[in-house]
Amino acid sequence: MSTRSTPRLRIAIQKSGRLTDNSLDLLARCGLRFSRARDQLVCFGENLPLDILLVRDDDIPGLVQEDACELGIVGQNVIAEKGLALPDGGAAPTEVTALDFGRCRLSIAVPDESVYAGLESIRGRRIATSYPRVLGRWLADRGLAADIVAQAGAVEIAPRLGRADMICDLVSTGATLAANGLREVEVVFESRAAVIRTPVPVAPEKAEWLDRLMQRIEGVQKVDGSKYIMLHAPRAALARITALLPGSEHPTILPLDGTDEKVALHAVCRENVFWETLESLKGAGATSILVLPVEKMLA
Ligand code: PRP
Ligand code: ZN
């Protein structure tokens, strides 16, 4: 056993919330094995020099910025809000890649019974939100003066309490708004989960693992939207069939035993392949069409 242990990387993710399961799943698909007990704040990676810190999502940009963690997975909504809080010249964590989960929007919503006649209905009103900076910038960009009532949570009850006329909060399914008698009127910011990286330079031994992990994350992302397609095509129809394949660059063409008129075509499609596409392929002369999932991909 080596006496010099590999320095360990840390990635901060949301402890319990909308992003938690997807974040853990992404790390598992990057090859990380870990066990997680209830209320645990750190999960030690068993097979890679990477540990997971489970924290409040709002704390993630700060932890990554201060280099307490090299990486974080957090919503772009939180990144934007915390980034605006930095003093001028302060280095924000850099967003390295946007992820395919955690989609939501930061929206303005008004009580169901209130009249909304466009942006002018916002001017001079009180808006409760946990995103005072993102909202403040959006209002300023539109030349609207309004009263921002900053509130850490349970923003949707502010109108009923008489604290605000409207709210600006995250909407995912819309269930929370509906349950509170509110309706969405303006989208302020569209968001999804993203990986952020510390602005502080990382030691070379750590940097190597950091780059490997980023490559694996990108690989998982690519695979999620990809399919492997195999079919038989008449040579004469090859150009037409290739043009129908969604997001595929260089298909492989293979000879088929016992015929010169037909060939086999294999291709990675960088987009999902829908029934409609298969029907068009068949219409163009393709036969024996197979669509397979892609498990791993490394560019
Ligand atoms: C957001 C937001 C709403 C809810 C909306 O909270 O504050 O409560 O999600 O989702 P819905 O449209 O699907 O009902 P989130 O889970 O992001 O937690 P946080 O804001 O407390 O971090
Ligand atoms: Zn939060």
Side-chain angles (χ1 to χ4, degrees), residues 14 16-19 56-58 77-78 103-105 130-131 152-156 168-180:
Q14 188 180 31
S16 65
R18 283 182 306 121
L19 305 181
R56 284 196 45 184
D57 63 343
D58 312 68
N77 51 303
V78 177
R103 282 178 201 276
C104 61
R105 48 199 188 272
S130 317
Y131 295 85
V155 162
E156 55 279 352
C168 175
D169 199 12
L170 293 184
V171 184
S172 171
T173 59
T176 305
L177 289 188
N180 287 282

Side-chain angles (χ1 to χ4, degrees), residues 207-269:
E208 193 199 317
W209 263 107
L210 213 146
D211 291 342
R212 281 173 79 171
L213 185 67
M214 288 315 306
Q215 268 191 21
R216 291 186 188 186
I217 289 177
E218 262 151 46
V220 170
Q221 292 275 109
K222 275 189 201 146
V223 159
D224 276 347
S226 299
K227 291 282 180 266
Y228 194 79
I229 188 160
M230 306 199 287
L231 53 83
H232 291 178
R235 270 189 196 280
L238 259 181
R240 208 174 137 214
I241 286 174
T242 308
L244 287 169
L245 297 172
S248 108
E249 280 141 37
H250 305 289
T252 307
I253 309 294
L254 302 161
L256 281 174
D257 206 21
T259 170
D260 280 334
E261 271 118 65
K262 281 189 160 197
V263 288
L265 180 153
H266 292 190
V268 174
C269 294

